[in-house]
Amino acid sequence: MEITVTKAERLKRKPDPSKLGFGNLFTDHMFNMDYHPDQGWYSPRIEPYSPITMDPATMVLHYGQAVFEGLKAYRTPAGRVQLFRPRDNVRRMNRSCRALCIPELDEAFVLEALKRLVLMEKDWVPDAPGTSLYIRPTIIATDPFLGVRASHTYRFFIILSPVGAYYPEGFNPVKIWVTRDHVRAVRGGLGEAKTPANYAASLFAGEDAHRQGYTQVLWLDGVEQKYVEEVGSMNIFFVLDDELVTPQLNGSILPGITRASVLELARSWDMPASEQQISIDDVLKAHDDGRLQEVFGSGTAAVISPVGELHCGERSVVIGGGEVGPVAKKLFDTIMDIQYGRAEDPMGWIEPVI
Ligand code: COI
């Protein structure tokens, strides 16, 4: 399929790279493509960034049938632009599509479209430390219809946003509120799909945590509210007795690409790393026994986010003296160095754009 290109008549002013926030500015162009059962995915096009006009009955607005992805383009010291494991994002988007009854996309084509768009917007890839161009591929259900069923038509779009740090705390340890009152996802539900419903489900508890002075929520499993699942919108890791431990994927946990990278890197360093069911009680007991060395989240937006304090029920537990631990630091530095092209890429994770 040929991608048609319509250029914007006027280009926006580029922001000061040292003042970037997260997700509040967008580039000049976007990618669009549509789906109709008679045509499959059709009309791939790069167009000026613009609002999407839709019927108020459009299904995504009512029943949330949508999936999205998040990845980044990085500027290297030599001025090149590169992506980190984009094939994994595209593959995961198709897995999310299956969970949401959305027709899958040709993965090689999506990667090509994404690279074409980033190449066209290469001047938007910022160069200040810790900044990047966040890429948000999204698919929405577009039938104007109020019955509950899977839509017949869809829009796939990709938008780009120059970003700085996700959390105002940056790489400093955050305070986490463990909730037993709310769950993010249940087994057999949508937890492992990247779909808006999971983020909507996280809002109430997130607001609650903020009101109590905490940055994010630690999610326990939706069945027994006992086993650790995720932290905020990230996967979670513990360092216990010098071993890296993360909850095993069970259907309600997002299979994070940074999560996979952390596990692969640790194993390449001969650090024991396991995926297992781990209860919050075991975490607290390990702390009491002096075996809990570090806790951190992993995600595309923040990469590694150290946890300095866990509040659970009546208890507040300070992790590693509230300081960044050596494992979190080494993972953060190693992943960032690979992403920004400051180090070799022994894992083959980098996909150059230019
Ligand atoms: C990430 O950590 O990469 C996320 O999923 C956050 C994103 C929803 C803004």
Side-chain angles (χ1 to χ4, degrees):
M1 267 190 298
E2 190 64 34
I3 301 173
T4 61
V5 176
T6 310
K7 288 204 171 153
E9 277 174 20
R10 264 219 241 122
L11 300 185
K12 301 173 191 169
R13 186 198 294 261
K14 307 273 185 309
D16 177 345
S18 65
K19 295 203 174 76
L20 290 170
F22 186 89
N24 52 356
L25 296 169
F26 303 95
T27 68
D28 295 304
H29 298 91
M30 65 189 291
F31 176 85
N32 282 307
M33 175 155 88
D34 294 290
Y35 180 88
H36 188 280
D38 296 341
Q39 286 165 279
W41 286 104
Y42 68 99
S43 185
R45 55 205 187 271
I46 292 175
E47 298 173 307
Y49 186 96
S50 66
I52 300 175
T53 306
M54 52 181 138
D55 192 294
T58 301
M59 291 189 83
V60 67
L61 301 177
H62 299 272
Y63 306 123
Q65 194 194 3
V67 298
F68 68 92
E69 270 303 323
L71 68 160
K72 288 171 170 176
Y74 306 86
R75 183 154 316 266
T76 72
R80 302 175 74 97
V81 172
Q82 57 186 33
L83 305 172
F84 182 72
R85 308 189 75 167
R87 287 164 206 274
D88 294 311
N89 289 91
V90 176
R91 200 173 306 131
R92 185 174 65 184
M93 190 163 74
N94 265 346
R95 283 209 300 276
S96 299
C97 282
R98 289 199 284 277
L100 271 292
C101 305
I102 294 174
E104 290 176 46
L105 289 142
D106 182 298
E107 293 177 11
F109 182 75
V110 173
L111 187 62
E112 182 193 326
L114 201 146
K115 286 167 81 170
R116 278 279 294 278
L117 181 65
V118 173
L119 182 61
M120 194 159 156
E121 303 288 67
K122 62 183 187 320
D123 294 345
W124 281 91
V125 183
D127 60 1
T131 63
S132 54
L133 186 67
Y134 188 76
I135 305 169
R136 172 55 62 87
T138 305
I139 307 176
I140 57 173
T142 50
D143 281 7
F145 181 62
L146 292 184
V148 178
R149 58 151 170 80
S151 181
H152 299 140
T153 61
Y154 298 89
R155 163 72 59 87
F156 170 47
F157 62 87
I158 308 175
I159 55 175
L160 308 175
S161 174
V163 297
Y166 186 70
Y167 291 121
E169 288 94 337
F171 188 56
N172 294 317
V174 293
K175 290 167 68 180
I176 298 296
W177 178 264
V178 182
T179 179
R180 288 191 200 259
D181 296 334
H182 305 280
V183 296
R184 173 192 163 272
V186 291
R187 234 152 289 156
L190 293 173
E192 68 182 352
K194 205 153 175 78
T195 185
N198 292 326
Y199 298 82
S202 77
L203 300 178
F204 192 94
E207 296 280 313
D208 217 15
H210 285 153
R211 270 194 297 275
Q212 319 282 344
Y214 290 79
T215 304
Q216 279 294 349
V217 169
L218 186 144
W219 300 104
L220 300 177
D221 76 279
V223 181
E224 297 175 70
Q225 272 132 73
K226 186 171 165 189
Y227 298 102
V228 176
E229 297 225 318
E230 294 190 17
V231 62
S233 58
M234 291 179 288
N235 294 113
I236 187 163
F237 284 87
F238 302 93
V239 182
L240 286 164
D241 286 329
D242 297 319
E243 179 181 357
L244 195 61
V245 177
T246 193
Q248 74 193 33
L249 300 179
N250 60 1
S252 56
I253 294 175
L254 186 86
I257 290 154
T258 314
R259 174 188 182 277
S261 308
V262 165
L263 287 170
E264 288 166 42
L265 273 179
R267 287 172 183 150
S268 78
W269 298 333
D270 292 328
M271 177 175 187
S274 67
E275 299 166 79
Q276 54 175 266
Q277 215 178 34
I278 175 162
S279 72
I280 188 67
D281 292 340
D282 287 344
V283 172
L284 295 175
K285 180 157 189 326
H287 173 267
D288 293 343
D289 296 347
R291 294 185 298 113
L292 179 65
Q293 295 155 296
E294 294 184 40
V295 181
F296 54 87
S298 72
T300 297
V303 189
I304 299 289
S305 177
V307 173
E309 183 183 327
L310 282 177
H311 181 92
C312 183
E314 302 299 302
R315 302 190 60 188
S316 265
V317 161
V318 174
I319 321 280
E323 302 288 324
V324 177
V327 178
K329 174 92 176 82
K330 184 172 175 190
L331 285 163
F332 183 75
D333 289 344
T334 307
I335 294 173
M336 296 266 283
D337 282 349
I338 295 173
Q339 289 173 334
Y340 284 90
R342 296 188 294 252
E344 288 294 300
D345 169 31
M347 309 296 212
W349 286 337
I350 293 301
E351 182 89 30
V353 173
I354 180 169

